[in-house]
Amino acid sequence: KPLFLTQEAEVVDLKTMGNGNRHLSIFLQEGGQIMRAVYFNGGELNNHLSRGQKVDLVYSLICDNYAGRPKVELKIQDLKIGS
């Protein structure tokens, strides 16, 4: 799968999810668009991220069919918290 890079995306909202809060769901804004991103096994970053913070991320695109409504989401491969 192709990988994409986005720099300076703004964290709009975030929460842990999954068994033991191991995963992270993040809503990011970049270029006027808000997208949901999922970081599997990235739940520990929840304590280091906050709304309004900027991040750089490498991701692939996935199609989520939750509740029968398909939508494109970002699957984070790597994330760097901005300064």
Side-chain angles (χ1 to χ4, degrees):
K1 291 185 178 183
L3 293 177
F4 301 91
L5 168 67
T6 296
Q7 296 177 305
E8 298 284 313
E10 180 180 344
V11 176
V12 176
D13 197 12
L14 69 155
K15 66 178 181 176
T16 56
M17 61 182 204
N19 187 17
N21 293 320
R22 290 180 33 209
H23 312 303
L24 191 61
S25 171
I26 311 172
F27 284 88
L28 298 164
Q29 181 171 330
E30 198 275 326
Q33 298 286 338
I34 296 177
M35 293 288 293
R36 179 176 184 250
V38 177
Y39 197 2
F40 292 104
N41 298 311
E44 73 281 351
L45 288 177
N46 188 53
N47 296 326
H48 303 284
L49 288 171
S50 59
R51 291 181 181 103
Q53 198 164 16
K54 301 284 186 173
V55 295
D56 299 340
L57 61 149
V58 174
Y59 57 93
S60 59
L61 300 177
I62 57 172
C63 182
D64 181 16
N65 287 308
Y66 182 74
R69 291 174 282 184
K71 59 186 170 217
V72 175
E73 295 182 338
L74 313 180
K75 180 181 176 185
I76 298 174
Q77 304 295 318
D78 196 14
L79 183 142
K80 176 184 171 191
I81 299 172
S83 53

